[in-house]
Amino acid sequence: MIPPVAQRLKRLPPYLFVQIDALKERMLRQGREVIDMGVGDPDEPTPGFVLKAMVKALKDARNHQYPSNRGLEAFRVAIARWTRRRFGVPLDPDTEILPLIGSKEGIAHLPLAYVNPGDRVLVPDPCYPPYRTGTILAGGRPVSVPLLKKNQFLPDLEALRRQAPGAKLLFLNYPNNPTAAVADLGFFRDLVRFSRRTGVPVCHDAAYSEIHFDRPRPPSFLQVPGAKEVGIEFHSLSKTFNMTGWRVGWACGNREMISALAKVKSNIDSGVFQAVQMAGLKALEDPGNHLSRMLGIYERRRDLLVRALQKAGWPVAPPKATFYLWAPIPGDRRSQEVAAAIMEGTGIVATPGVGFGERGEGYVRFSLSVPTRRVQEAARRLARLPIWR
Ligand SMILES: *Cc1c(COP(=O)(O)O)cnc(C)c1O
């Protein structure tokens, strides 16, 4: 009765975590204590001052109706103020900022605005999956841009110029998931020059801009003079304020791109619940106590896990940003096999690097978004692991 699904669904990459998911299920059934470091989803609750703002906004009946397509003006103004304070970048709240139902939503929809069937889109390898899947759902072809350790997991822009002609978009993400790499302003300057020369617009995902352990803080790509002429940046409240379940983020920068994305969205969704926008506004006014507390927590967990992995013979260095450890596998075993062995040997779920793209092979990713006590337990278990040679 039901016809086969469309080609675009068949073209999506296979789900690579089947084996890991099945193994985890089996261990849970056996009553073994599983420590899930597979997903990047903050374990700590949303801060109380944001909850309070939400409760107040919930009681205001104006927020019960459809939100406006462009988002609440007050929220856009708060975003502009935050961006100026944090990065020194001025933005016009009316034309250069667009609230999103989580940044993933905007990332996945943007290709619908720019990609015709068969068009190429440059996506990093390894990467956060929606750059690739959003491109495929729009009928485009993702072209892999390798992120290699020898280049600090930054793309080689010189080599990329050969792949650039005709490409419709370039996705990048720093601080980076899954590699935890950070880009400095010098790289973003080169990136803006690259985009000017090649005509490929930049879509920079800054979801982890606030999760960092080093100075200077990670910059915005929009800090480069002229950046607004060549691209947009995605931001999210999810990781910064432990708000992954709330679904709120924004895109900002180039006004043509913002307007094109808004046009796609106005035909698909009806915006972010206004009460959530009001709570997001409050989050952005946080003087910084919440964030510095969270960074202290992640740093402690990071150090516990790095030390344990080092003891087990893994050559990991502490990451400067994000809550991920991108751990190179000693020897030459496959990431799926190693993730399975870690799970069987320790009950710890880690993500095989190949799930983020072919260039992720040779790595596993550990997420630090589990309670510190569980990280301590994970560290104990990992330190006892045999060296993988
Ligand atoms: C978590 C994450 C996001 C944020 O997604 P939301 O939809 O805003 O929750 C965006 N980009 C990357 C790379 C992420 O890891």
Side-chain angles (χ1 to χ4, degrees):
M1 287 305 278
I2 308 294
V5 296
Q7 288 302 326
R8 68 177 68 84
L9 282 199
K10 293 186 189 153
R11 286 172 61 222
L12 290 173
Y15 182 69
L16 284 175
F17 305 132
V18 181
Q19 183 202 9
I20 288 287
D21 287 353
L23 206 52
K24 179 179 156 189
E25 280 308 310
R26 201 179 73 213
M27 294 187 62
L28 285 171
R29 269 201 312 275
Q30 290 167 350
R32 286 188 55 185
E33 197 203 358
V34 169
I35 303 177
D36 194 344
M37 306 184 104
V39 283
D41 187 353
D43 56 299
E44 290 275 314
T46 304
F49 70 96
V50 179
L51 298 182
K52 239 169 88 184
M54 180 69 177
V55 169
K56 186 163 166 239
L58 268 177
K59 292 178 181 162
D60 183 342
R62 281 173 303 178
N63 293 332
H64 301 170
Q65 296 186 283
Y66 281 123
S68 97
N69 276 329
R70 279 301 187 121
L72 270 181
E73 189 188 359
F75 184 41
R76 285 183 276 113
V77 167
I79 291 168
R81 220 180 279 133
W82 180 83
T83 309
R84 184 188 278 278
R85 198 168 67 231
R86 169 65 174 89
F87 299 113
V89 173
L91 289 171
D92 175 2
D94 290 334
T95 58
E96 295 178 332
I97 296 173
L98 180 66
L100 299 170
I101 311 170
S103 56
K104 180 180 186 178
E105 178 264 300
I107 288 165
H109 280 145
L110 184 68
L112 288 177
Y114 286 98
V115 175
N116 288 313
D119 281 350
R120 292 152 64 252
V121 171
L122 306 175
V123 300
D125 181 1
C127 77
Y128 178 60
Y131 313 140
R132 196 171 282 278
T133 54
T135 296
I136 292 170
L137 290 175
R141 284 186 294 142
V143 174
S144 283
V145 177
L147 303 185
L148 306 178
K149 177 144 200 291
K150 68 169 170 118
N151 299 326
Q152 289 80 48
F153 300 110
L154 297 169
D156 177 345
L157 295 178
E158 221 30 69
L160 195 54
R161 281 178 69 172
R162 283 190 295 276
Q163 294 175 293
K168 290 299 166 76
L169 298 168
L170 163 62
F171 280 102
L172 286 176
N173 158 227
Y174 294 99
N176 184 260
N177 173 12
T179 70
V182 180
D184 63 14
L185 210 48
F187 171 77
F188 285 144
R189 268 190 216 110
D190 294 343
L191 182 62
V192 170
R193 197 173 315 124
F194 168 89
S195 181
R196 276 235 179 80
R197 283 195 188 149
T198 59
V200 183
V202 173
C203 313
H204 181 245
D205 177 356
Y208 295 92
S209 68
E210 307 313 298
I211 312 295
H212 56 80
F213 311 106
D214 249 24
R215 296 277 161 164
R217 297 189 286 179
S220 160
F221 141 79
L222 297 174
Q223 279 170 248
V224 179
K228 267 192 217 172
E229 283 146 47
V230 302
I232 57 174
E233 190 159 79
F234 291 94
H235 286 266
S236 173
L237 294 176
S238 289
K239 311 298 161 54
T240 313
F241 295 101
N242 304 338
M243 290 175 74
T244 46
W246 297 56
R247 313 312 304 132
V248 58
W250 68 89
C252 57
N254 184 271
R255 62 182 65 189
E256 281 173 57
M257 292 174 78
I258 291 294
S259 156
L261 179 56
K263 187 164 183 180
V264 170
K265 280 172 57 58
S266 69
N267 286 287
I268 292 180
D269 63 62
S270 298
V272 181
F273 182 22
Q274 283 193 7
V276 168
Q277 295 185 61
M278 293 304 292
L281 180 163
K282 262 288 179 259
L284 290 175
E285 287 174 353
D286 172 47
N289 303 345
H290 156 76
L291 195 57
S292 50
R293 192 183 133 259
M294 283 314 302
L295 294 180
I297 291 173
Y298 290 136
E299 191 166 16
R300 168 124 195 280
R301 295 175 183 174
R302 174 195 75 170
D303 293 344
L304 281 165
L305 202 65
V306 164
R307 234 174 289 134
L309 283 167
Q310 286 172 344
K311 264 192 214 158
W314 292 56
V316 281
K320 294 191 168 78
T322 76
F323 45 57
Y324 302 111
L325 282 193
W326 185 238
I329 297 164
D332 55 8
R333 294 175 63 186
R334 312 255 95 191
S335 59
Q336 300 215 61
E337 180 197 339
V338 170
I342 290 173
M343 174 124 58
E344 306 229 47
T346 66
I348 297 167
V349 183
T351 310
V354 73
F356 301 100
E358 280 168 37
R359 302 287 184 161
E361 189 49 275
Y363 292 84
V364 291
R365 191 195 74 175
F366 293 90
S367 170
L368 301 170
S369 58
V370 298
T372 304
R373 253 193 244 210
R374 312 277 288 153
V375 178
Q376 280 167 333
E377 175 58 24
R380 267 193 291 278
R381 295 184 193 177
L382 279 171
R384 288 197 305 261
L385 264 191
I387 297 176
W388 308 95
R389 284 191 208 285

